[in-house]
Amino acid sequence: MDAVMKRFVLVLLMTLFGSTLAAHATIWNVDVADFQFTPSSLTILQGDTVRWTNSLGFHSVTPDCDPALFGTPAQASPWQYVFIFNLPIGSYGYHCEVHPHMMGTITVQDRGTWHVTVQSFSFTPANLTITRGDTVIWSAINGFHNVHHNATPSLFGTAPATAPWTYQFVFSNVGDSTLHYICQVHPTLMQGAITVSEPQALPAPAALTAYPSDTAHIRLTWGSVCGAGSYAVFKSLDASSPVFPDSFATTTDTTLIDSIGSPRAFYLVKALGVAR
């Protein structure tokens, strides 16, 4: 193989490799036909897209619990419904409201770790969209480079060094922003950007009620929330201006027994996603 052909193959491989890395979000397809969702169960990553295509019949995509975080009403084919699951990690069941035996589940997993290759005077992929708490790992294959957040103060980065090296940063204290970075050795050639987004917040539980269970205890109940891994319960004894400090209890159930201890108390319940 001559030098020209070798160079062509190398560039082709680099292009293909770069394209694979850039495809950091996946589109999943679900067929709605023959009175079933196919596939009925999907395990996806946070930020992936699911596309339902109704090719036959009168169907809907209806979440199993309320309030609904996604879904489309019943309508005759043909139609498509697309939803980006930028939701907290967890399992989201759904069904067809016209045919309840048609059931499906979307399990959203933590995407977690992203990889950027540093070589040939480029960051590949140059642009990433991640979720708060994710980790980005830069791996230098060749050359003398570094990673430097191009702002003051600089939130992340490493000193220039000769490859091979790796550098990782956990984006735990950054949300809803785009952070631009460069290689300080080659600032005009090597530029990248990390866009950090917050997952969609879970809605507040509905129908919170409180009533005595006996003379010394009170029972709290509330509605379930799709995607919730647990519930944090807050309590205030200030009748004039309720202030809720840190939660006094966390439970995976939708009911809680609390000692009365005061003639009047105020409660607040917050749905929490599955722990990362």
Side-chain angles (χ1 to χ4, degrees), residues 111-160:
R111 185 174 293 278
T113 302
W114 305 80
H115 293 272
V116 177
T117 301
V118 184
Q119 66 174 348
S120 302
F121 302 104
S122 66
F123 298 112
T124 305
N127 300 292
L128 279 178
T129 299
I130 68 174
T131 302
R132 180 176 180 175
D134 286 357
T135 298
V136 178
I137 300 176
W138 288 265
S139 299
I141 307 302
N142 56 39
F144 185 75
H145 308 295
N146 80 320
V147 172
H148 175 74
H149 174 219
N150 197 23
T152 303
S154 181
L155 298 180
F156 61 92
T158 184

Side-chain angles (χ1 to χ4, degrees), residues 53-89:
T53 300
N54 181 8
S55 57
L56 182 65
F58 191 83
H59 305 296
S60 74
V61 174
T62 306
D64 290 345
C65 55
D66 188 54
L69 299 178
F70 63 95
T72 187
Q75 50 191 315
S77 61
W79 54 255
Q80 283 193 338
Y81 169 63
V82 176
F83 183 78
I84 300 174
F85 278 82
N86 189 29
L87 297 176
I89 56 178

Side-chain angles (χ1 to χ4, degrees), residues 124-242:
T124 305
N127 300 292
L128 279 178
T129 299
I130 68 174
T131 302
R132 180 176 180 175
D134 286 357
T135 298
V136 178
I137 300 176
W138 288 265
S139 299
I141 307 302
N142 56 39
F144 185 75
H145 308 295
N146 80 320
V147 172
H148 175 74
H149 174 219
N150 197 23
T152 303
S154 181
L155 298 180
F156 61 92
T158 184
T162 301
W165 53 258
T166 61
Y167 167 68
Q168 70 178 41
F169 184 79
V170 181
F171 288 81
S172 56
N173 296 319
V174 181
D176 288 330
S177 61
T178 298
L179 307 176
H180 297 273
Y181 68 93
I182 60 173
C183 167
Q184 291 175 297
V185 185
H186 312 97
T188 59
L189 292 175
M190 301 178 65
Q191 302 178 2
I194 307 292
T195 299
V196 185
S197 63
E198 294 279 3
Q200 180 179 329
L202 291 174
L208 173 61
T209 60
Y211 54 90
S213 61
D214 55 44
T215 57
H217 298 87
I218 191 168
R219 178 185 293 273
L220 303 173
T221 63
W222 56 88
S224 62
V225 174
C226 285
S230 60
Y231 300 90
V233 182
F234 301 79
K235 180 179 180 180
S236 174
L237 302 178
D238 188 346
S240 60
S241 180

